[in-house]
Amino acid sequence: MGLSDIKARIAKAEADAGRETGSTHLIAISKVQPNERVEAVLNEGHRLFGENKVQEAEGKWPDFQARFPGTEVHLVGPLQSNKARRAMELFTAIHSLDRPKLARSMARIAQEIGSCPDLFIQVNTGEEEQKAGVAPADMDGFVAECRDLDLPIRGLMCIPPVEETPSLHFSLLAKIAERNGLSGLSMGMSGDFEEAISFGATHVRVGSAIFGERVYD
């Protein structure tokens, strides 16, 4: 597929939805991808990437960011509270704020270091027991709690259940965001990002379609 093909599909989906060209940010998911593949995408001019783990990002991105100014890295995977400080210092945005304890830790650390990445609250739209995220019914209260902590909540994130129609979950996320005055919608992956764009996605996540199949040690 490749980067240019994905960007062309995003532009078409934006046009089909009557949205402004460039209103959707493509997060190239670079987890467990060899450095040479990541560098090739950087050389194509792309500057927004996503990682699932703090430790992997620490070993990969400081050097790339020094060599490719303007590169942003977002955390799209789960975050343990004991790694919150490292994550907040490393990532431009974190898409997996999913519980009050983590929110309180981030608020304390933000006061100590004087900054905080943009934050997206992960919503468990399918209310799946095995999946992280705030239940839809608890979202209004959680957003209010995060705002009381002065956290920079930019939007919401969801990963629909694999066996369900994604549009139901994209629509639900958009409604929760609108109700709470949030403009960011982190939703849509390789198989459904065009549909997500039609529901207002501002950030879509695509990995192997850009880089090739992941390489696990």
Side-chain angles (χ1 to χ4, degrees):
M1 182 68 67
L3 179 66
S4 60
D5 292 318
I6 295 295
K7 287 188 171 181
R9 287 172 60 188
I10 288 173
K12 184 179 184 305
E14 289 172 336
D16 290 346
R19 292 180 52 186
E20 183 181 350
T21 301
S23 59
T24 309
H25 300 281
L26 170 61
I27 305 175
I29 303 299
S30 48
K31 66 176 184 179
V32 302
Q33 291 288 354
N35 281 359
E36 58 268 23
R37 291 186 185 177
V38 176
E39 186 162 359
V41 174
L42 282 161
N43 281 326
E44 286 188 71
H46 195 67
R47 292 293 182 269
L48 177 55
F49 295 81
E51 292 284 344
N52 267 43
K53 296 182 178 179
V54 175
Q55 188 170 355
E56 182 182 349
E58 278 185 315
K60 179 188 298 182
W61 283 103
D63 176 61
F64 278 142
Q65 288 176 306
R67 292 166 51 208
F68 296 91
T71 298
E72 294 187 10
V73 186
H74 291 193
L75 179 67
V76 297
L79 178 60
Q80 297 171 307
S81 294
N82 63 357
K83 293 182 179 177
R85 181 182 298 271
R86 289 157 65 195
M88 291 172 67
E89 293 172 341
L90 183 63
F91 295 102
T92 309
I94 293 171
H95 293 239
S96 48
L97 173 55
D98 63 357
R99 58 196 186 279
K101 179 184 177 182
L102 181 58
R104 292 191 293 270
S105 294
M106 286 181 157
R108 174 179 52 79
I109 294 165
Q111 290 295 319
E112 292 173 4
I113 67 176
S115 64
C116 186
D118 288 342
L119 300 176
F120 290 74
I121 297 171
Q122 182 171 352
V123 186
N124 187 352
T125 55
E127 302 187 63
E128 299 171 274
E129 290 184 7
Q130 78 282 8
K131 190 176 285 183
V134 181
D138 298 331
M139 274 301 301
D140 294 357
F142 187 60
V143 171
E145 181 178 352
C146 290
R147 285 175 167 156
D148 286 343
L149 292 168
D150 288 328
L151 290 172
I153 305 300
R154 302 300 182 219
L156 308 179
M157 183 271 266
C158 77
I159 303 173
V162 293
E163 72 283 358
E164 294 187 18
T165 303
S167 61
L168 299 174
H169 299 271
F170 298 154
S171 175
L172 174 59
L173 197 74
K175 288 175 183 175
I176 296 171
E178 182 179 17
R179 189 170 71 228
N180 285 280
L182 295 168
S183 58
L185 290 171
S186 176
M187 59 188 193
M189 295 186 285
S190 295
D192 55 25
F193 68 82
E194 286 143 320
E195 192 170 9
I197 289 169
S198 74
F199 282 91
T202 59
H203 296 72
V204 297
R205 308 182 294 278
V206 180
S208 55
I210 294 172
F211 296 100
E213 291 302 316
R214 295 190 180 102
V215 178
Y216 293 91
D217 294 332

